[in-house]
Amino acid sequence: MAALLEVKNLGISFGGLRAVDDFEISINKGRLYGLIGPNGAGKTTVFNLLTGVYKPSEGVIKLDSHNITGLKTVEINKAGIARTFQNIRLFKDLSVIDNVKAGLHNHFKYSTIEGILRMPSFFKTEKAMTEKAMELLKVFELDQEAEYLAANLPYGKQRKLEIARALATDPKLLLLDEPAAGMNPNETKELMDTIRFVRDNFDMTILLIEHDMKLVSGICEELTVLNFGRILAQGPTGKVLNDPQVITAYLGE
Ligand SMILES: Nc1ncnc2c1ncn2[C@@H]1O[C@H](COP(=O)(O)OP(=O)(O)OP(=O)(O)O)[C@@H](O)[C@H]1O
Ligand SMILES: [Mg+2]
């Protein structure tokens, strides 16, 4: 069976800098997969390539056997890739629930006329969206804060909300860029449970970038290690973390 995400020979240069070179990865459906490596290794750039923020100089990206190379970010999201950002990006002036609804808009459609005239179908969709958004917020234990402004949530909860909003677009593949950054050990432990829950209960495939080795070794089944834009090691987590080259790259930080 073909992998859900299949990437071959992906590369991009910024001026003279080869930020990502000959990157390849194959992620099966339902996997919890980690992308790790020292600062500046090219991890976020890989996410930006996968989500159409940057067009690759070369390479092929296939999602569910469809070639999505070179598509725009919106099209790639519609094709089934959603992400979170290293620096949290939320609609800070909107409520928690409206942030999730913004993600849902991909799937619940009503025409502008129906919206303006407040016709019955509009109410039906509004109600369905609210219900769906609340369901998602419950998973992340954010339902009590549904009406809070996103900006007023503590940092750890903002990170969770960003994941909820990404899931609201109903992706096949979820990309998380340093989801535990800035979290205390308790929040990180909770987040690990949440990520596992999302994988198991949403039937999700997850690729995450993380520096927290406890999280990485605790939940990732497979890893790719990047160093200076190139793959240093790839395979089952236990094997990769014991690779002398990987240990050297990390000690050398
Ligand atoms: N738009 C850009 N223009 C120029 N250089 C860039 C651009 N985006 C990334 N880079 C460079 O590419 C390299 C890889 O950056 P990237 O952000 O992918 O690293 P990273 O592995 O995510 O690091 P970190 O762990 O610090 O987040 C860095 O040298 C960075 O400065
Ligand atoms: Mg990064």
Side-chain angles (χ1 to χ4, degrees):
M1 205 186 73
L4 177 73
L5 181 73
E6 190 82 59
V7 176
K8 290 243 185 334
N9 185 36
L10 194 65
I12 191 168
S13 303
F14 299 116
L17 176 79
R18 192 75 187 145
V20 173
D21 187 42
D22 197 15
F23 181 84
E24 57 176 48
I25 201 166
S26 175
I27 304 182
N28 284 332
K29 194 170 179 309
R31 278 276 144 178
L32 235 166
Y33 200 116
L35 178 59
I36 66 171
N39 289 114
K43 305 179 298 295
T44 298
T45 304
V46 167
F47 274 20
N48 286 334
L49 288 166
L50 294 179
T51 55
V53 175
Y54 301 143
K55 272 202 179 20
S57 325
E58 58 276 318
V60 178
I61 305 166
K62 282 187 180 170
L63 183 74
D64 232 358
S65 303
H66 297 290
N67 191 342
I68 57 164
T69 322
L71 293 187
K72 295 198 182 86
T73 304
V74 180
E75 294 165 341
I76 289 177
N77 182 242
K78 286 216 168 93
I81 302 184
R83 76 179 288 186
T84 64
F85 293 87
Q86 191 165 347
N87 307 307
I88 302 177
R89 290 192 198 173
L90 288 169
F91 302 114
K92 296 255 162 95
D93 300 334
L94 291 185
S95 67
V96 167
I97 193 164
D98 282 345
N99 267 274
V100 175
K101 282 182 177 175
L104 286 174
H105 267 110
N106 262 12
H107 289 270
F108 288 82
K109 291 270 183 282
Y110 49 78
S111 70
T112 315
I113 288 293
E114 280 175 331
I116 292 166
L117 299 178
R118 302 253 155 182
M119 278 147 77
S121 60
F122 169 80
F123 283 112
K124 222 163 131 195
T125 315
E126 239 342 269
K127 191 161 166 275
M129 275 179 60
T130 304
E131 276 169 15
K132 186 85 197 146
M134 283 308 289
E135 254 175 55
L136 268 171
L137 288 177
K138 274 204 186 98
V139 170
F140 293 90
E141 289 171 341
L142 288 168
D143 48 315
Q144 298 298 317
E145 290 102 332
E147 297 304 330
Y148 285 30
L149 274 191
N152 291 341
L153 286 181
Y155 191 75
K157 292 196 173 194
Q158 289 194 17
R159 285 227 171 259
K160 281 189 176 180
L161 176 57
E162 209 194 4
I163 300 175
R165 190 184 57 187
L167 277 178
T169 68
D170 197 21
K172 294 174 183 163
L173 174 69
L174 179 63
L175 308 179
L176 305 174
D177 197 345
E178 300 198 24
M183 286 190 174
N184 65 40
N186 261 340
E187 287 173 325
T188 303
K189 209 190 146 292
E190 250 185 55
L191 178 75
M192 286 167 68
D193 293 338
T194 307
I195 293 173
R196 261 196 227 101
F197 183 91
V198 166
R199 193 272 297 272
D200 295 342
N201 290 272
F202 289 74
D203 204 14
M204 194 55 57
T205 308
I206 300 174
L207 173 62
L208 63 87
I209 295 173
E210 197 36 77
H211 284 288
D212 187 323
M213 280 305 146
K214 247 199 178 134
L215 186 147
V216 168
S217 58
I219 65 173
C220 295
E221 296 146 348
E222 279 180 82
L223 294 178
T224 289
V225 187
L226 272 185
N227 199 24
F228 299 111
R230 295 196 63 113
I231 291 174
L232 187 66
Q234 199 164 48
T237 299
K239 193 163 162 250
V240 167
L241 291 182
N242 283 313
D243 184 325
Q245 273 189 297
V246 174
I247 294 166
T248 309
Y250 272 90
L251 290 177
E253 257 190 290

